[in-house]
Amino acid sequence: MIVKTFGSAVQGVTAITITLEVNVFPKGTKFFIVGLPDNAVKESEKRIESTIISLGYRFPRFRTVVNMAPADIRKIGSAYDLPITLGIIAASGQAPGEALSQYIIMGELSLDGTIQPIKGALPMAIQARREGFRGMLLPLQNAREAAMVNELEVYGVSHIREVIQFLHAPQSLSPIHVDARQEFITAQQHFDVDFSDVKGQYGVKRALEIAAAGGHNVLMIGPPGAGKTMLAKRLSSILPPLSLHEALETTKIHSVAGKLPAHASLIARRPFRSPHHTISDAALVGGGTVPQPGEISLAHNGVLFLDELPEFKRTVLEVMRQPVEERQVTISRTKTTVDFPASFMLVAAMNPCPCGYYNHPERDCTCAPGIVQKYLNRVSGPLLDRIDMHVEVTPVPFASLNATETAETSEYIRQRVVLAREVQTERFKPHPGIYCNAQISSSLLKRLCYLEYESANLLKNAMNKLKLSARAYDRILKVSRTIADLEGFEMIQTAHIAEAIRFRSLDRESWGA
């Protein structure tokens, strides 16, 4: 008797439906799984046998063949345990199999029949609805995640007995309902950190507000203890709220990577990722034998914070150059190519020198001559070229630390940022693929960032006097365009250019000399 069950395989952040055909017939005694299974799938025979026996059913001693189609796609992982087990029980006549064709079924089995959680439930659910399946049977821990997809019955189960009972009596389980929109709105209102916690640092907070408004990458340079990490962690709290589409896109990536908390539904706040400087190339941009999203994809629609930037291996930083520009990363292997989205704000922090006290207002730098420049050279020019703003962070004086007045909250700053982003959204409607000022192409720069004579003259004098590099020119124009949007000006003013020039510290030839 042949029984078909249906599972799903995740490639990148999309899913492909897998048909599992189980045939039990009285000829021979061997068990076969065909259709490009990996070792984890092949080893399922022992887990399945133990589960079936623990349930009180008989494991067929006849020849059993499990075909996983399409056969040219490699099947990876232990999540096929549940559909294969149900197919064997139904094919051997021990349970009804009529309902199996209506559902996508996935789950890893313990030896006693307990169902373990899986990765990628959300893209699986999206694909199941697209292909017209009635519903899904998933581990209880993944059910809320999949239930965000409308018009799909999602059942969460913790033991295979519940699934077998469901096949006999479908009313024994109730589908899980999640009001994704309401949960999304509620979760957006809460942040663990706030800019009101930061004492002083008004100039740096202003710089981060400009960066958030225009989607600009930022490098903060300052001595240890000046508050660089504290400020970076609060940047997510002033970014515009995620749209529902962005939240689903972000949740898919975290689902595929297995980074969603148990019983989670939707990521409602922009992610903040802060990898350690010992991270490898593949862990940062994604990869592996089975391509998985890296930190830059987990930071999609959010912030990627690289603390102690010069301590990262140069090769690690260099592989990030293309994704910063393209806003996606392509992982190529012999038999497959996978695209992961990677649209993030890069925020980096570094000390100005190895001892950390170059340009410190009170402490002397102990580094030998030339060491400061050598330290800065650990970060390549092409990567610095992709960072719009260089912000110097100075220590907070005691008077500011001891002050009792309350600083401006993230909510008030976010309101200004949202208004500036709305202006940009309207401006870039005729230009698909551009969403904020940081993405303005060279061809659009002169038209969208036109300077009147006084502003152009100021920029010319600044570049000559401060010996700014050519790459600073474009960055200054983009940042000044964002400042004008924040201030509500259609034309870039001289004051906006003057403020933007302050954020190109490392382009001055005298810096670090």
Side-chain angles (χ1 to χ4, degrees), residues 117-315:
I118 61 171
K119 295 180 181 180
L122 180 56
M124 291 177 186
I126 293 171
Q127 185 65 19
R129 184 183 67 177
R130 185 177 295 132
E131 297 194 8
F133 283 91
R134 180 175 177 178
M136 296 186 72
L137 291 162
L138 289 172
L140 186 61
Q141 297 93 323
N142 302 110
R144 285 179 56 80
E145 174 189 342
M148 289 186 297
V149 179
N150 298 325
E151 301 172 11
L152 189 72
E153 296 177 5
V154 176
Y155 299 91
V157 289
S158 56
H159 198 279
I160 192 173
R161 288 186 190 278
E162 299 172 33
V163 184
I164 295 174
Q165 187 178 1
F166 175 78
L167 297 179
H168 286 282
Q171 68 275 12
S172 62
L173 289 178
S174 299
I176 292 176
H177 296 286
V178 174
D179 189 344
R181 188 172 295 275
Q182 184 56 48
E183 289 196 7
F184 174 66
I185 293 170
T186 303
Q188 278 190 322
Q189 309 305 317
H190 174 72
F191 287 95
D192 298 325
V193 293
D194 196 278
F195 263 95
S196 61
D197 304 329
V198 182
K199 300 287 187 180
Q201 299 295 15
Y202 300 109
V204 186
K205 286 193 276 190
R206 167 67 175 173
L208 292 181
E209 178 182 340
I210 294 168
H216 302 288
N217 299 327
V218 186
L219 173 62
M220 292 185 286
I221 315 157
K228 301 185 294 293
T229 304
M230 183 182 187
L231 286 157
K233 286 182 176 179
R234 283 154 178 75
L235 181 57
S236 296
S237 68
I238 64 171
L239 288 171
L242 283 171
S243 66
L244 192 56
H245 173 74
E246 288 176 324
L248 282 168
E249 198 174 38
T250 305
T251 305
K252 277 171 62 176
I253 298 169
H254 285 251
S255 173
V256 169
K259 300 292 185 182
L260 282 180
H263 305 290
S265 55
L266 195 66
I267 292 178
R269 296 188 295 274
R270 294 189 180 272
F272 178 86
R273 303 295 299 182
S274 179
H276 192 260
H277 62 258
T278 56
I279 192 171
S280 67
D281 306 17
L284 183 67
V285 301
T289 307
V290 181
Q292 289 287 300
E295 288 291 334
I296 64 173
S297 295
L298 293 171
H300 181 60
N301 291 323
V303 176
L304 177 69
F305 177 51
L306 303 183
D307 201 4
E308 303 295 345
L309 185 66
E311 303 301 329
F312 283 80
K313 289 185 292 184
R314 194 178 185 94
T315 55

Side-chain angles (χ1 to χ4, degrees), residues 29-76:
T29 58
K30 290 190 175 181
F31 184 96
F32 299 96
I33 299 181
V34 297
L36 276 185
D38 74 343
N39 286 334
V41 179
K42 292 176 181 177
E43 289 171 356
S44 65
E45 177 188 354
K46 302 304 178 185
R47 293 191 295 273
I48 290 168
E49 182 178 5
S50 173
T51 299
I52 290 176
I53 292 172
S54 71
L55 291 171
Y57 293 101
R58 69 180 188 280
F59 186 78
R61 297 304 171 188
F62 302 118
R63 176 176 293 190
T64 302
V65 178
V66 179
N67 178 43
M68 308 179 78
D72 60 340
I73 295 174
R74 189 154 188 81
K75 320 307 182 300
I76 297 165

Side-chain angles (χ1 to χ4, degrees), residues 484-496:
D485 291 341
L486 274 169
E487 303 296 328
F489 285 89
E490 187 174 341
M491 291 291 297
I492 297 174
Q493 307 296 308
T494 306
H496 305 150

Side-chain angles (χ1 to χ4, degrees), residues 97 271 390 475:
H390 309 153
R475 306 299 173 182

